[in-house]
Amino acid sequence: MQKTRLLAGLLAGILIAVPAGASELRIGLQDDADVLDPAQSRTFVGRIVYTALCDKLVDVSPTLEIVPQLATDWKWSDDGSELTMNLRKDVVFHDETPFNAAAVVANIQRSQTLPESRRKSELSSVKSVEATGDYQVKFTLKSPDASLLAQLSDRSGMMVSPKAAAELGANLGSKPVCSGPFKFVERVQQDRIVLEKFPHYWNAANVFIDKVTFLPIPDSTVRLANLQSGDLDMLERLAATDAAAVKADSKLTYADAIGVGYLAMIANVGNGPLADNPFGKDKRLRQAFSLAIDREAVNQVVYEGTSVAGNQPFPPNSPWYDKDIPVPARDVEKAKALMKEAGFATLDIEFATPNNPVTMQRMQVIQSMVAEAGFNVKLKATEFATLQSELPAGKFQFGHADWSGRVDPDGNLREFVTCKGAINDAKYCNPEVDTLLNAARSSTDNAARKQKYDAAARILNDDLPIIYLGHQAWIWALKKNVTGFVPSPDGMIRLQGVKKS
């Protein structure tokens, strides 16, 4: 069925005129993106589409440094309470309206005030933003926020046309208007997203693709088959089990990078009626579940050894990782003892998971492992976009919580576990954790921040609203005639410099 839908989408795509000799890049995505409005969206694949569609104030380099994009340079005040940015003067939005300081102010204020915005907590430290020149803006902060630049390198810093935003409001996602290298053409839900090169892009000389079609194909086997047959030019998140086959194929190119995110599961501890279950109410059951998992075995079986076992929002090789809380070894007997202490010999629990094969395999392995401790896990598989609407609505007991990762540690943690975090689907709330993470965010001293993150990690490792499993590599596969792609630890597909011969 997926193959049929893909072929139908490709045939329909032919109806969109492409000039003779123009180059089209067809990219297979693991999931369908959610709403294409930077203020409202939350999916990883949405960020991949945005990388082609919406430029940001700053970007992230392959070495995870913050680098200029729409802002050419910036400076912090001595006390860290003000951030001043100078902006590019040769930028227009896809509707030909100018990009300037007023546009930045409008975008930041929209992200702060739009009722549907998911960026509010990311920008909660911003007291005000003002145009201090036609191409200069100043952020005044309520308190120092070391994470702000990293937030501005993602959706909080993506610029949309103020004119389009005013006209469409919360419906901007139906026809997004940004300033990136490609502009929006059409979208067919669960089938395709089509973009075309924007001729007035400020860096158009480095854009060699004329049209990009993103095709959501959850089945990794089908994604690879379509790449091998020529229906795709590139795919993201190649299954680790297929890495050897791609490397051995003379017609394909393999690329990977260790990610900054994590693999995880989230327990509903306070989000609506479904939180009223033993697993959500008793941390001993969550601790038992965690102890029943052999994380390294999951890495080897599901990810062919390409991922890294983990138990924190930061990988073990990260400077933010707390070495005093090592990855726990599997201990079924201790898990059983914790369950008994909580009053259970067995426990039935439903796990909400996306229906892609790799994630399903991971959960089936975990399902088998935890059964030995007494957990009877029922897997509820659904479309990824549907799952992303069910989690914040509290329509789950226990669910999938993988995160693509952010450069600053705040972006891997605060939104998910603070009481008012925008992506706190568990509705976990511990004032002590809030105090620690807010203090870490406010400091510009990395040593002081590390102490706060370590203290929060100890609490979270005990409460376990999120059970971390590890950190996977981003893996891409491309046709040999696609060149110039640079893999990045953030998992994005940046198309500047990419060519198709």
Side-chain angles (χ1 to χ4, degrees):
M1 182 175 178
Q2 177 64 47
K3 176 88 169 182
T4 302
R5 183 164 67 238
L6 171 60
L7 293 176
L10 290 174
L11 289 173
I14 295 172
L15 299 178
I16 302 170
V18 180
S23 59
E24 176 186 1
L25 201 67
R26 293 160 296 181
I27 301 175
L29 303 177
Q30 180 169 288
D31 311 293
D32 194 20
D34 60 346
V35 58
L36 291 178
D37 178 351
Q40 300 183 61
S41 64
R42 56 182 279 155
T43 61
F44 173 71
V45 288
R47 293 174 61 217
I48 293 176
V49 176
Y50 288 138
T51 304
L53 182 66
C54 302
D55 270 7
K56 303 160 292 190
L57 290 174
V58 292
D59 199 9
V60 179
S61 75
T63 56
L64 300 179
E65 297 173 298
I66 302 295
V67 295
Q69 196 165 69
L70 293 177
T72 56
D73 58 84
W74 50 90
K75 183 178 181 180
W76 287 101
S77 62
D78 291 341
D79 63 359
S81 66
E82 294 179 353
L83 173 66
T84 301
M85 289 184 148
N86 293 311
L87 309 173
R88 293 192 183 279
K89 300 178 181 180
D90 53 348
V91 178
V92 294
F93 291 102
H94 297 153
D95 60 2
E96 305 295 339
T97 57
F99 167 76
N100 51 29
V104 174
V105 171
N107 270 270
I108 299 299
Q109 291 179 343
R110 178 176 186 264
S111 289
Q112 290 178 310
T113 61
L114 184 74
E116 297 82 1
S117 174
R118 294 185 180 277
R119 310 281 81 84
K120 293 176 184 178
S121 58
E122 295 173 7
L123 295 169
S124 61
S125 65
V126 178
K127 179 180 180 180
S128 65
V129 57
E130 61 182 310
T132 48
D134 290 344
Y135 294 94
Q136 186 182 78
V137 291
K138 181 175 74 173
F139 292 82
T140 300
L141 309 186
K142 300 171 187 175
S143 60
D145 179 5
S147 74
L148 182 59
L149 273 176
Q151 301 292 6
L152 297 177
S153 75
D154 201 351
R155 281 170 286 215
S156 289
M158 290 178 188
M159 298 289 107
V160 303
S161 162
K163 176 184 176 183
E167 292 174 353
L168 296 173
N171 293 319
L172 179 68
S174 64
K175 190 178 180 181
V177 181
C178 293
S179 64
F182 298 88
K183 65 180 182 179
F184 180 79
V185 175
E186 71 157 0
R187 178 177 191 176
V188 179
Q189 206 78 29
Q190 300 294 337
D191 189 272
R192 65 184 181 275
I193 296 171
V194 183
L195 312 179
E196 66 181 15
K197 182 178 178 178
F198 180 50
H200 304 301
Y201 182 56
W202 63 270
N203 192 22
N206 198 32
V207 179
F208 305 101
I209 303 297
D210 297 295
K211 175 183 171 183
V212 184
T213 301
F214 294 99
L215 298 152
I217 310 171
D219 191 314
S220 58
T221 301
V222 175
R223 277 204 307 283
L224 179 56
N226 278 270
L227 180 70
Q228 292 168 327
S229 69
D231 287 335
L232 292 176
D233 300 296
M234 180 179 188
L235 62 83
E236 57 97 17
R237 278 178 285 182
L238 175 77
T241 49
D242 292 323
V246 170
K247 291 178 180 178
D249 192 329
S250 61
K251 296 180 181 179
L252 301 179
T253 299
Y254 174 94
D256 66 5
I258 298 298
V260 293
Y262 55 73
L263 307 169
M265 303 174 288
I266 184 171
N268 186 344
V269 301
N271 192 354
L274 291 183
D276 190 16
N277 70 84
F279 196 77
K281 294 299 182 184
D282 196 328
K283 66 182 180 183
R284 291 172 296 184
L285 294 173
R286 301 191 294 274
Q287 292 168 354
F289 195 100
S290 178
L291 282 169
I293 301 170
D294 185 332
R295 288 163 170 80
E296 184 54 39
V298 173
N299 169 34
Q300 295 298 329
V301 173
V302 182
Y303 298 101
E304 298 287 314
T306 62
S307 72
V308 177
N311 65 323
Q312 296 178 37
F314 323 119
N317 61 349
S318 166
W320 302 104
Y321 182 80
D322 186 350
K323 295 179 181 178
D324 291 332
I325 309 176
V327 177
R330 187 181 191 224
D331 192 334
V332 175
E333 292 307 312
K334 186 175 181 180
K336 287 180 178 179
L338 282 167
M339 288 190 70
K340 183 178 180 180
E341 184 181 315
F344 292 88
T346 63
L347 180 67
D348 296 338
I349 187 166
E350 183 178 80
F351 186 89
T353 179
N355 61 355
N356 71 74
V358 174
T359 304
M360 284 296 296
Q361 182 191 12
R362 182 177 90 199
M363 285 315 304
Q364 287 163 356
V365 171
I366 291 173
Q367 182 185 44
S368 177
M369 289 177 175
V370 300
E372 295 181 33
F375 290 99
N376 301 317
V377 178
K378 177 185 177 182
L379 300 181
K380 179 188 174 185
T382 186
E383 293 283 346
F384 183 75
T386 301
L387 180 61
Q388 291 304 300
S389 65
E390 291 185 347
L391 292 177
K395 297 179 180 179
F396 74 105
Q397 292 181 330
F398 193 31
H400 173 84
D402 292 0
W403 181 242
S404 53
R406 298 295 182 269
V407 182
D408 189 272
D410 182 87
N412 273 17
L413 189 55
R414 186 174 176 274
E415 292 291 331
F416 303 91
V417 296
T418 51
C419 297
K420 295 183 179 180
I423 320 178
N424 183 358
D425 295 336
K427 291 296 183 281
Y428 170 79
C429 184
N430 184 322
E432 188 176 357
V433 170
D434 277 34
T435 298
L436 288 165
L437 296 185
N438 288 334
R441 190 187 203 198
S442 299
S443 175
T444 55
D445 182 334
N446 281 348
R449 295 185 79 196
K450 179 69 165 60
Q451 292 179 348
K452 300 292 191 300
Y453 287 122
D454 287 352
R458 287 189 286 273
I459 297 170
L460 294 168
N461 188 63
D462 184 59
D463 287 349
L464 287 182
I466 300 175
I467 297 176
Y468 300 100
L469 299 169
H471 313 272
Q472 74 180 108
W474 300 120
I475 307 176
W476 299 267
L478 309 83
K479 289 164 63 174
K480 280 290 185 183
N481 65 337
V482 177
T483 58
F485 170 67
V486 178
S488 178
D490 64 3
M492 295 297 100
I493 298 175
R494 291 172 174 82
L495 295 175
Q496 290 92 328
V498 173
K499 297 180 180 180
K500 179 182 175 182
S501 58

